[in-house]
């Protein structure tokens, strides 16, 4: 023990006590520093590994259920983005080069632009009435009347890609169901278009080539009825008074004073109108189309329309303004065959109607078609499919739901049901089931009052 | 001072000990961290969970569907609770409605009184009502409604060409029979309200027409009241739960059908009835997984256990795809276009491509989302091409929404016939008789 103590003591005087730092050999110091550095590097390496393992992107060997879902979520985001956008490039607008190439050198006028573009809906047909008559006589199995009534084809549509706003597709679906219901009750065929038949006449003008194409393909159809996708049938019992129109070829909702005296840009509404399948209609379509082609023509035409129509804001030419301009500037040529209808709501502007539905249910009954029970409620300006409309989104959506349910009640009534309220998708039974359902059916009147 | 208490040697020992402890502690901490990162520590959280929480707090979720998934289930509102019917007990029998026993004569009387709405459009072609539907609420998947819209457009097109009426249902007629059973009360209500309809054709919303030229062989079904896609051996011998498919079937409007619906319904009511029935079905039917009773399994069970009563009026069609499982069809469309033509309806050119399991309206189905949605686009375009060719157009490719012209405009449009003859086909012709 004593020896040890001595030995230790002597050793300690030689080891690295703080007071005797100068006496520590260099080697030992370097070794110590080297050890420290090793440990630091090792710790740094381990830290990096750990960080990479936890926060790093990519393979986690022990992934949990949440991370699996996270990946699926990211996948769905990517897929939805792909579906929404069209991976194909926009076709080159052949007219834009025309515009930009010469715009500095030459100030295009509308007439020049129309001539340069030289747009046409198709080869000129001059004998459509005769062609159609011959075909009908050769095809008695495809008459233009069914049960005494002229055949009508309802045409509507929407763009082929998903709506920017997902709720827009839901209301397109409801609008389509609403049209299916009315047309089933009235023996009308439906064409739902999702194809851009003519890239020059895109947007609201797309209905022109479509209507022409359908007229020429279906000679058995007497009336083509265009209806916007944002218009809902709210009177399921109302039947179009076609006998009133036997001397007319275009039936459109509007106000004659707004049209002839004020030249207002909302004097007529092209959201819901009927064209007779005849030569006159083909001629009108040909006269209507020139303002439509995308690009320079539509822009210059827009300026003319804004200058000539009351209240029209400045934007490119739209089909409604163009038709009003055409009919007012060539009154003598066309107006004798145009019926400007306002005795019922072939088009009913939604804002003045949707709040009155409960009042209508209480006081009136279906079948009237006018302000007491509107035939069509048209959600102009709402644009639920796009990113923004002219009205607050919530008001638009809840009003569309109300209009849909208001019409749907008249359909559900046949089966003994009704919606619980105009905003509710839920339904309740309003007529008990019976073992004699056909007795009830015989007494059912589509135009009877609705009880809620 | 400490030196003098303990002694230098001791002090150094302690110092060294402390340093060792520090090192040990540090290493232990590191080890714990690494373990937590790789294996996870359950309820104490993993770094991934931390990351998700952080992300959620700072970045708003772009999609309704997926945000809902991370939030807890909202408490059911009182008004919802009132609507929920009390769950039916096992010994309380369910009924679709008051028993009717003379439907055939009631119906015949009505048809006699209303000659303007005959139940046969021509000698052989019956009046058909195609019935489909979806929920009145927006889809949870943001593009679900878009695919429902395309699906109904597809059905509108087929039915216009074939002179078939459509009923699109968005109403839950009986809350007890919710889910796949909802079609039963609907079908009964429609049969009774439309005596002029001879055949009711139920079709799921995830089924699309891919052969626009195929007309159903109505004469073949004259002796039968129920036509489903399936195979006799798979149903009656194997008792396989997918021996037939109730996603697309025909039901004649007659007393037999009302009786069938009454016999089919008992397994449907939500709650213990459906759960117990599910157990019976799994036990009896081949390959059926464990879940509550569904209408398809119940139909197989009914046909197997009451064969003598029903089988002679049931036709299990396998000559064409009244229902065509999408998995084996969608990759072959290009091959079909090259080798065959529309109007066949079978494996060469399927009448119906049915996206079983895809559930585009819900959050996630049984198949990867991408494959489902892209294939639904292809199937839609495959069918749509046959409609567009009537007007001289076609899709640029089966994946593309864009169309291109394939037939020029002419000043004699009535002399041009469309290739498939769908503009004025025989099966759309009106009976030529003095009206």
């Amino acid at each position: 023990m004593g020896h040890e103590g001595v030995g230790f003591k002597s050793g300690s005087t030689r080891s690295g006590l703080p007071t005797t730092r100068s006496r520590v050999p260099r080697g030992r110091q370097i070794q110590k520093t080297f050890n420290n550095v090793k440990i630091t590097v090792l710790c740094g390496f381990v830290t990096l590994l750990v960080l990479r393992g936890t926060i790093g992107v990519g393979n986690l060997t022990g992934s949990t259920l949440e991370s699996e879902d996270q990946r699926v979520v990211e996948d769905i985001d990517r897929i939805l983005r792909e579906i929404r956008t069209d991976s194909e490039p926009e076709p080159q607008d052949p007219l834009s080069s025309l515009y930009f190439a010469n715009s500095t050198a030459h100030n295009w006028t509308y007439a020049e632009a129309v001539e340069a573009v030289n747009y046409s809906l198709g080869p000129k047909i001059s004998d459509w009435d005769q062609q159609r008559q011959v075909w009908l006589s050769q095809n008695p199995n495809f008459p233009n009347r069914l049960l005494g009534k002229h055949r009508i084809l309802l045409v509507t549509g929407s763009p082929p890609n998903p709506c920017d706003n997902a709720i827009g597709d839901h209301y397109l679906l409801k609008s389509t169901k609403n049209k299916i219901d009315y047309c089933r009750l009235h023996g009308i065929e439906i064409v739902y278009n999702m194809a851009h038949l003519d890239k020059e006449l895109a947007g609201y003008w797309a209905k022109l080539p479509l209507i022409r194409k359908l007229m020429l393909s279906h000679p058995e159809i007497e009336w083509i009825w265009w209806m916007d996708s944002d218009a809902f049938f709210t009177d399921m019992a109302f039947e179009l008074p076609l006998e009133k129109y036997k001397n007319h070829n275009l039936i459109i909702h509007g106000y004659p004073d707004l049209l002839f005296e004020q030249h207002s840009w909302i004097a007529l509404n092209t959201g819901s109108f009927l064209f007779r399948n005849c030569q006159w209609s083909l001629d009108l379509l040909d006269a209507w189309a020139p303002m439509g082609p995308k690009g320079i023509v539509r822009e210059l035409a827009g300026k003319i329309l804004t200058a000539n129509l009351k209240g029209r804001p400045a934007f490119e030419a739209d089909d409604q303004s163009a038709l009003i301009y055409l009919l007012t500037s060539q009154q003598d040529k066309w107006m004798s065959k145009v019926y400007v209808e306002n005795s019922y709501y072939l088009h009913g502007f939604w804002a003045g109607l949707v709040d009155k539905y409960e009042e209508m249910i209480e006081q009136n009954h279906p079948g009237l078609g006018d302000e007491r029970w509107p035939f069509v409620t048209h959600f102009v300006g709402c644009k639920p499919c796009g990113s923004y409309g002219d009205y607050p989104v919530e008001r638009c959506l809840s009003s569309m739901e109300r209009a849909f349910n208001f019409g749907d009640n008249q359909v559900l009534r046949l089966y003994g049901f009704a919606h619980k309220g105009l905003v509710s998708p839920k339904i309740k039974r309003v007529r008990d089931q019976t073992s004699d359902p056909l007795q009830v059916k015989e007494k059912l009147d589509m135009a009877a009052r609705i009880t809620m | 001072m400490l030196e003098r208490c303990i002694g230098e040697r001791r002090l150094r020992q302690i110092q060294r000990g402390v340093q060792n402890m520090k090192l040990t502690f540090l290493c232990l901490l590191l080890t714990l961290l690494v373990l937590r990162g790789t294996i996870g520590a359950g309820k104490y959280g993993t770094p991934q969970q931390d990351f998700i929480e952080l992300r959620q707090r700072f970045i708003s979720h772009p999609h309704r569907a997926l945000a809902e998934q991370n939030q807890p289930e909202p408490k059911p509102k009182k008004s919802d609770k009132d609507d929920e019917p009390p769950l039916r007990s096992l010994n309380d029998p369910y009924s679709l409605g008051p028993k009717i026993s003379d439907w055939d004569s009631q119906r015949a009387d009505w048809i006699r009184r209303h000659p303007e709405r005959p139940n046969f459009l021509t000698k052989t072609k019956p009046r058909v009502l195609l019935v489909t539907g979806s929920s009145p609420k927006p889809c949870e998947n943001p593009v679900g409604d878009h695919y429902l819209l395309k699906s109904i457009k597809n059905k509108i097109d087929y039915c216009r060409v074939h002179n078939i009426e459509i009923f699109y249902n968005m109403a839950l007629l009986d809350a007890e029979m919710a889910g796949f059973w909802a079609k039963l009360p609907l079908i009964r209500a429609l049969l009774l309200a439309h005596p002029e309809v001879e055949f009711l054709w139920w079709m799921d919303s995830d089924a699309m027409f891919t052969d626009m030229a195929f007309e159903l062989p109505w004469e073949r079904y004259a002796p039968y009241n129920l036509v489903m896609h399936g195979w006799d051996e798979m149903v009656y011998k194997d008792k396989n739960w997918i021996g037939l498919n109730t996603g697309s079937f025909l039901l004649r409007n007659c007393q037999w059908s009302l009786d069938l619906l009454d016999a089919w319904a008992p397994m449907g009511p939500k709650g213990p009835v459906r759960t117990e029935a599910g157990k019976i079905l799994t036990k009896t039917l081949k390959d059926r997984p464990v879940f509550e009773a569904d209408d398809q399994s119940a139909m197989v069970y009914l046909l197997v256990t009451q064969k003598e009563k029903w089988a002679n009026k049931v036709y299990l069609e396998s000559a064409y795809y009244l229902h065509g499982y999408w998995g084996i069809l969608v990759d072959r469309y290009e091959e079909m276009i090259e080798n065959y033509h529309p109007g066949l309806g079978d494996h060469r050119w399927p009448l119906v491509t049915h996206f079983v399991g895809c559930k585009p309206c819900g959050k996630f189905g049984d198949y990867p989302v991408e494959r489902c949605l892209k294939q639904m686009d292809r199937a839609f375009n495959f069918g749509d091409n046959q409609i567009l060719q009537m007007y001289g157009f076609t899709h640029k490719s089966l994946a593309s929404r864009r169309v291109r012209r394939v037939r020029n405009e002419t000043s004699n449009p009535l002399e041009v016939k469309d290739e498939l003859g769908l503009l004025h086909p025989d099966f759309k012709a009106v009976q030529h008789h003095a009206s």
Side-chain angles (χ1 to χ4, degrees), chain A residues 41-56, chain B residues 30:
Chain A
V41 167
L42 200 71
C43 285
F45 186 57
V46 173
T47 311
L48 271 170
L49 266 179
V50 170
L51 280 175
R52 188 181 177 280
T54 55
I55 304 180
Chain B
L30 271 170

Side-chain angles (χ1 to χ4, degrees), chain A residues 4 8 12 15 17 43 46 50 54 60-62 64 66-67 69-70 72-74 76-80 82-86 88-91 121-125 128 131-132 135 140-143 146-147 151 153 158-162 166-167 169-170 172-174 176-177 180-181 184 189-197 212-214 216-220 404 411-412 414-415 417 420 425-427 433-438 441-442, chain B residues 8-9 12 26 30 33-34 37-38 46-49 52 55 61-64 66 69 80 83 96-100 103 106-107 110 113-114 116 129 134-139 141-143 145-150 152-153 156-157 160 165-173 188-190 192-196 363-364 369-370 373-374 380 388 390-391 393 396 400-403 405 409-414 423-425 428-430 432:
Chain A
E4 216 179 275
F8 189 74
S12 68
S15 65
L17 282 176
C43 285
V46 173
V50 170
T54 55
L60 253 191
T61 49
T64 62
E66 276 83 7
S67 72
D69 280 352
Q70 203 59 37
V72 182
V73 163
E74 278 162 10
I76 292 180
D77 281 351
R78 176 184 55 84
I79 294 162
L80 295 182
E82 271 177 33
I83 291 177
R84 284 211 162 95
T85 60
D86 215 324
E88 294 166 37
E90 267 290 325
L121 281 169
K124 180 88 185 128
I125 300 179
W128 178 237
Q131 284 193 38
R132 202 177 156 234
W135 190 93
N141 289 338
F142 288 91
L146 282 178
L147 290 176
R151 275 178 137 169
L153 178 67
S158 59
N161 45 286
I167 198 75
D169 276 314
H170 181 70
L172 281 175
L173 184 68
K174 284 190 141 141
T176 307
K177 169 189 157 60
I180 290 174
D181 285 332
R184 183 182 64 251
E189 290 181 49
I190 303 178
V191 165
Y192 194 100
N193 181 53
M194 273 181 164
H196 291 133
L197 299 190
R212 185 180 197 268
K213 174 55 88 173
L214 290 171
L216 298 180
S217 307
H218 294 285
E220 74 276 14
F404 172 80
V411 177
L412 289 174
L414 300 172
Y415 311 103
F417 289 88
K420 283 189 172 175
K426 298 197 191 191
I427 59 166
Q433 295 193 71
T434 152
S435 55
D436 205 355
L438 294 178
K441 186 178 167 82
E442 291 283 14
Chain B
E8 273 186 43
R9 181 182 167 193
R12 222 170 302 134
L26 202 70
L30 271 170
L33 263 179
V34 172
T38 53
T46 64
Q48 195 64 17
Q49 281 175 1
I52 294 174
R55 208 176 137 174
H61 242 299
H63 292 292
R64 263 189 276 142
L66 312 158
Q69 186 210 353
D80 283 350
D83 303 333
L96 282 168
K99 179 92 186 126
I100 299 178
W103 178 238
Q106 280 193 41
R107 194 177 160 239
W110 194 93
R113 285 200 303 274
H114 294 267
E116 76 283 1
L129 179 68
S134 60
S135 165
K137 305 206 181 87
C139 284
N141 182 342
V143 288
D145 280 305
H146 179 69
Y147 284 92
L148 286 174
L149 184 69
K150 282 174 101 155
I152 188 58
K153 170 193 154 57
I156 288 174
D157 286 332
R160 181 180 67 255
E165 292 180 36
I166 301 179
F167 187 89
Y168 195 96
N169 182 52
M170 274 183 164
L172 180 60
L173 300 192
R188 186 178 199 268
L190 288 171
L192 297 181
H194 293 287
E196 74 278 12
K363 284 186 280 207
F364 308 115
V369 175
E370 183 160 17
L373 297 184
K374 294 218 161 135
F380 173 83
L388 288 173
M390 287 198 270
Y391 307 113
F393 288 85
K396 287 190 167 171
S400 171
R401 292 194 274 261
R402 293 181 197 243
V403 301
R405 191 181 276 286
E409 298 286 325
T410 149
S411 55
N412 283 313
L414 296 176
L423 278 175
H424 303 101
K428 197 180 177 186
V430 164
H432 181 47

Side-chain angles (χ1 to χ4, degrees), chain A residues 286-361:
Chain A
D286 282 336
W288 190 3
M291 285 191 165
K294 234 168 39 170
I296 173 181
V297 174
R298 214 186 274 190
E299 272 181 53
L300 293 175
K303 298 199 172 95
I304 298 178
L305 295 173
T306 306
N308 284 290
L309 299 180
K310 177 169 178 228
R312 187 182 194 270
F315 67 110
E316 55 174 22
D318 65 300
D319 61 311
Q320 183 171 297
S321 313
L323 183 67
I324 293 172
Y325 181 71
L326 175 65
L327 294 181
T328 50
S329 53
Q330 298 181 27
Q331 235 177 311
D332 304 321
K333 186 166 182 198
W334 305 107
M335 282 315 294
S336 59
K337 292 289 186 183
V338 177
Y339 196 107
V340 179
E341 176 67 85
N342 53 24
S343 65
Y344 62 89
Y345 278 129
L346 179 59
H347 139 85
F349 179 58
W350 66 284
L353 298 170
V354 292
D355 296 315
K356 305 207 183 104
Y357 288 145
E358 281 86 359
E359 195 186 301
M360 293 172 191
I361 292 171

Side-chain angles (χ1 to χ4, degrees), chain A residues 263-277:
Chain A
H263 296 248
S264 162
W265 80 298
I266 50 170
L268 301 175
N269 189 282
T270 53
S272 173
F273 60 89
L274 289 102
F275 255 120
R276 191 188 292 275
N277 191 351

Side-chain angles (χ1 to χ4, degrees), chain A residues 228-241:
Chain A
D228 277 356
S229 59
D230 56 1
F232 285 77
F233 283 106
T234 34
D235 190 339
M236 292 293 176
F238 186 82
E239 180 88 18
L240 286 175

Side-chain angles (χ1 to χ4, degrees), chain A residues 33 47 65 80-81 107 280 283 286 391:
Chain A
T33 319
T47 311
L65 197 63
L80 295 182
R81 259 201 311 277
N107 263 330
W280 183 97
D283 295 338
D286 282 336
Y391 302 92

Side-chain angles (χ1 to χ4, degrees), chain B residues 260-289:
Chain B
L260 179 80
L261 289 169
D262 283 335
W264 192 6
M267 287 189 166
K270 247 177 12 180
V273 175
R274 211 186 277 190
T275 326
E276 285 309 306
K279 294 188 187 138
I280 299 174
L281 293 172
T282 305
K283 213 169 50 173
T284 324
L285 302 178
K286 181 171 173 218
D287 289 347
R288 186 184 193 269

